[in-house]
Amino acid sequence: MQRRTGMQPRLFELTEAQQLVRDTARNYAQKTLAPIAGQLDREGRFPQEQLAELAELGMMGVNIAEEYGGAQAGAVAYALAMMEIAHGCASTAVTMAVNNLVAETIARHGSEAQKKHYLPEITSGRFVAASFGLSEPNAGSDAAALRTTARRDGSEYVINGNKQWITSGDRAGVIIVWARTGVEGNRGISCFLVEGGSKGLHVGRHEDKMGLRASSTVSLSFEDLRVPASAMLGPEGRGFPIALGALDSGRVGIACQAVGIGTAALDSAVRYAKERHSFGQPIANYQAIRFALADVATALDAARLLALRAAAFKEAGRSFTREGAMAKVFATEKANKACDVAVQVHGGYGYIDEFPAERHYRDARITTIYEGSSEIMRIVIGRHLLAG
Amino acid sequence: MDFSLTDEQQRLVETARKFTREKIIPVAQKLDEHGTFPKEICEQAWEIGLMNVELPQEVGGLGLSTLDHVLMAEEVNYGCAGIGTTMFGNNLAAMPIMLAGTDEQKKKWLGMLTDAPVFAAYACSEPDAGSDVAGMRTTVRKVGDEYVVTGQKRWITNARYAQWYTVFGRIGEPRERHKGITCFVVPRDAAGISVGRKEDKLGQRASDTSDVILEEVKLTKANLVGEEGQGFKVAMKTFDRSRPWIAAGACGIMRRALDECRRYALERKAFGQPIAQFQAVQFMLAEMAMKYEATRLLMLKASWSIGQGKLDAIESSYAKAFGADSAMAVATDAVQVFGGYGYTKEYPVEKLMRDAKLLQIYEGTSQIQRMVIARNLLAQTAGQG
């Protein structure tokens, strides 16, 4: 039997290539990221060197073809890598996730010239980051309400407007910008590749976030920013479906990030429960603790499987909108629960920065919000159910 | 059955609400960001009678009931739970003396709190004895008429600013568990007392949490609160009295979350209408309101029982565990209602979420409350309810 990629032939077994990617990511996450994640968080320091090292390990284009400098290891391998990197440092993971998402979006919709120009920059790490410019101050969940405009002027487009919550927006070599080229609603939206440092691109203030404090989140504004017509990604007016497709992938990435954060929290809680004594024995001996940890472990394993299923569907070229939404809402909510349990198991020690539990807890919180909130996921899942 | 407040209670609530609106809310975010201790705010609260409210009138206190206290505390915690906890810290330190102290001790130590806006701290937990109070290792050696206390206390609210501490230590061997535990009042300037580093906390960052270290601290009978070996009982009785306060913290956080979310949900538009029009958001708001109301009733019931003198540990634990768990859920949902904005420090809901988490941990974790509840349930004679 010919062995196909992904999870098809043997559902729970990884290919050698997938194992290699996972082990590479795990090794880097545990040896390099985990020991410094607390410090990066405290100082709100962008992990510039670490991202460069990850690019060398092939992590900035896991699912990008080799001819563009990618690892060409597939969507499942990327999912596995994301879980491992997030286990070590969730801030580094989200930055890596957005880089991969932008690369995949360009790979899928870009012209040959665009792919040749941008993909090697991202996969090699020469671009320290890439950004996904969709959200606006008044258009988050409701992306079709965006107001940024791109007006045709001869052989150029002139972009004006504001973007919000842009991960790495101040560091990006390239930003995919969604802007309105036509009518109101989702049919009038197109997509552009805007280079970092372009004239008319202004970086606004850095958000002071509860968690993911080592990732950069900024607002961007465009003031008569000119791009050549060739900077358009995909056909005119097709920006919205491009965004939706990209978000399907992005959601699987965030599901994996959540699994990684949750698993890190669980691991630290298990470690602590074995060490900490009360009432004359390790607290791991108490059912209250064991049952809480057992529930978390079960939920995280289910989350992992949902995320890998979505990735496998993607790798097989099947639609995975429903599977991605299920993976995202389930994994992110269970990860939050896992982090909450971990803080609780640590007691007072879970509330201070001496242990990683409080950082995991803060980092996990955004996962049910960004890349489509839990509420949006439920709308997507509900729509699929009722359309059946 | 009457759910209305007395005129005095209504006035107290209004005073606290005004104070919260004018003095606390404008600075809460900044104090949180920098971990600044709310010294001036507490001094101002002291001026208008919001500190040390349960202290008896004989020592210059207001002699308010637990019920009055929680009504007031809910208002303060609406503004900032870190400040709320700082104010609880004094009441908590005072409680062992109120419960078991001599008249002389009350006059001296409680009088200090009513004479001037100063702080006191309750020092019970240790690095390796949190939930398990009877596992404490701080030792008390009797040398002649003196008690010599050595040990390390952890998670001590107001440690750095306190003029005195109520400290629990052990006469005898650790294997004797709760039997030898004894309570003392210890002045900050006693030889051998030092304060450790300030903990860097997830939330309630305005409150001060540090270690208190006792090295061969010499005390006399005048420092003994209650009798030798009665400390465990004093600690537990203190918790029975203090747990409704934590429910007040929960009520403050929940009401704030609800107010913020209501305002935001009516303003914020998505898919062409205010998000308040969506059932997903409406249901979250409805849950928040139910959890707030239920916690408030449990808190008032437990506080009322204390006032009636029929203190029942189970009621305090109901209020504390239900309130803390509810506040955590409500604050988490509040961040969700705000979406990305909820994750930033531009809006107060992420602070509510960080602050709420401590409610499930301190003054007996949510797990310990369930142990207390179950133990009481199982000890009740069938049919007695």
Side-chain angles (χ1 to χ4, degrees), chain B residues 100-154:
Chain B
T102 62
D103 287 347
E104 208 170 316
Q105 285 171 335
K106 287 179 190 166
K107 215 169 133 200
K108 175 168 182 187
W109 302 104
L110 303 183
M112 276 170 75
L113 301 179
T114 56
D115 276 353
V118 298
F119 297 92
Y122 178 85
C124 183
S125 287
E126 298 184 359
D128 292 306
S131 292
D132 183 9
V133 174
M136 71 169 62
R137 307 225 178 107
T138 293
T139 60
V140 181
R141 258 186 315 119
K142 288 173 72 172
V143 183
D145 287 343
E146 280 186 339
Y147 300 95
V148 183
V149 185
T150 297
Q152 186 175 7
K153 294 294 175 182
R154 180 145 293 179

Side-chain angles (χ1 to χ4, degrees), chain B residues 21-310:
Chain B
R21 190 175 57 236
E22 291 174 1
K23 305 288 183 188
I24 296 181
I25 289 176
V27 299
Q29 202 268 341
K30 244 199 161 56
L31 296 181
D32 172 75
E33 186 183 345
H34 301 290
T36 311
F37 187 73
K39 191 162 180 295
E40 287 82 32
I41 288 178
C42 287
E43 285 166 0
Q44 290 166 342
W46 182 89
E47 290 287 345
I48 61 168
L50 297 181
M51 293 280 287
N52 317 309
V53 290
E54 288 193 52
L55 265 52
Q57 289 177 344
E58 299 87 84
V59 300
L62 295 175
L64 297 184
S65 66
T66 307
L67 190 58
D68 301 327
H69 185 185
V70 295
L71 289 170
M72 183 282 281
E74 176 182 331
E75 299 304 325
V76 171
N77 281 273
Y78 180 96
C80 176
I83 294 174
T85 289
T86 305
M87 290 167 65
F88 288 146
N90 269 20
N91 288 283
L92 190 63
M95 191 55 73
I97 298 178
M98 285 169 59
L99 293 172
T102 62
D103 287 347
E104 208 170 316
Q105 285 171 335
K106 287 179 190 166
K107 215 169 133 200
K108 175 168 182 187
W109 302 104
L110 303 183
M112 276 170 75
L113 301 179
T114 56
D115 276 353
V118 298
F119 297 92
Y122 178 85
C124 183
S125 287
E126 298 184 359
D128 292 306
S131 292
D132 183 9
V133 174
M136 71 169 62
R137 307 225 178 107
T138 293
T139 60
V140 181
R141 258 186 315 119
K142 288 173 72 172
V143 183
D145 287 343
E146 280 186 339
Y147 300 95
V148 183
V149 185
T150 297
Q152 186 175 7
K153 294 294 175 182
R154 180 145 293 179
W155 318 124
I156 308 309
T157 299
N158 295 348
R160 185 169 308 278
Y161 298 88
Q163 304 251 343
W164 53 266
Y165 306 102
T166 34
V167 172
F168 294 81
R170 168 190 302 291
I171 298 174
E173 294 302 312
R175 62 182 154 75
E176 292 174 63
R177 301 284 297 165
H178 61 269
K179 279 193 181 130
I181 293 174
T182 305
C183 179
F184 296 93
V185 56
V186 184
R188 170 72 178 87
D189 55 11
I193 293 264
S194 58
V195 174
R197 79 177 176 100
K198 178 178 154 65
E199 300 291 0
D200 191 355
K201 304 199 298 301
L202 172 66
Q204 302 212 5
R205 295 174 59 82
S207 82
D208 172 58
T209 312
S210 306
D211 283 4
V212 172
I213 299 131
L214 300 99
E215 283 171 283
E216 299 277 305
V217 176
K218 294 190 173 60
L219 302 170
T220 68
K221 200 120 199 140
N223 301 98
L224 180 66
V225 179
E227 291 168 31
E228 288 180 17
Q230 294 295 302
F232 188 78
K233 207 186 253 178
V234 170
M236 292 303 120
K237 277 188 177 169
T238 298
F239 287 132
D240 291 341
R241 295 282 296 262
S242 68
R243 282 173 181 154
W245 308 344
I246 310 307
C251 283
I253 287 175
M254 283 190 276
R255 205 178 85 216
R256 180 69 179 277
L258 189 54
D259 283 354
E260 296 291 338
C261 286
R262 187 168 34 204
R263 190 179 316 133
Y264 187 79
L266 288 168
E267 276 170 15
R268 172 76 180 183
K269 288 194 169 69
F271 306 103
Q273 51 188 324
I275 60 171
Q277 297 301 322
F278 296 109
Q279 281 196 334
V281 172
Q282 287 178 357
F283 285 15
M284 277 195 269
L285 295 179
E287 285 291 331
M288 289 179 185
M290 285 191 283
K291 289 191 167 105
Y292 166 69
E293 291 292 335
T295 300
R296 196 158 195 278
L297 290 171
L298 286 172
M299 168 187 84
L300 294 176
K301 170 84 184 307
S303 304
W304 175 83
S305 289
I306 291 169
Q308 298 293 305
K310 48 181 180 184

Side-chain angles (χ1 to χ4, degrees), chain A residues 119-286:
Chain A
L119 294 180
E121 298 297 315
I122 299 173
T123 54
S124 68
R126 283 194 294 275
F127 281 176
V128 68
S131 290
F132 194 82
L134 178 64
S135 287
E136 298 188 358
N138 291 301
S141 290
D142 184 9
L146 66 85
R147 293 187 197 153
T148 295
T149 57
R151 181 175 50 81
R152 181 87 192 215
D153 181 22
S155 63
E156 294 180 321
Y157 280 90
V158 186
I159 302 178
N160 280 287
N162 298 293
K163 294 291 174 183
Q164 183 93 347
W165 318 125
I166 308 305
T167 302
S168 313
D170 56 331
R171 312 250 177 183
V174 63
I175 305 160
I176 306 182
V177 173
W178 276 263
R180 193 166 294 288
T181 47
V183 293
E184 286 285 302
N186 59 31
R187 286 168 201 277
I189 296 170
S190 302
C191 214
F192 297 89
L193 295 173
V194 172
E195 298 195 358
S198 294
K199 189 160 171 272
L201 170 64
H202 304 290
V203 175
R205 78 187 186 98
H206 283 248
E207 298 295 349
D208 193 357
K209 305 195 296 298
M210 178 186 198
L212 296 185
R213 295 181 64 81
S215 81
S216 157
T217 311
V218 296
S219 58
L220 295 176
S221 62
F222 313 111
E223 217 178 324
D224 290 332
L225 186 151
R226 288 179 173 270
V227 290
S230 63
M232 186 180 280
L233 181 70
E236 183 172 341
R238 296 296 293 162
F240 195 69
I242 291 175
L244 291 187
L247 288 173
D248 280 346
S249 289
R251 283 163 192 167
V252 181
I254 299 309
C256 296
Q257 185 203 24
V259 169
I261 300 170
T263 307
L266 173 64
D267 290 351
S268 68
V270 168
R271 207 177 312 125
Y272 185 80
K274 287 201 248 179
E275 284 167 9
R276 172 79 179 181
H277 284 65
S278 76
F279 307 102
Q281 51 187 317
I283 60 171
N285 288 356
Y286 296 110

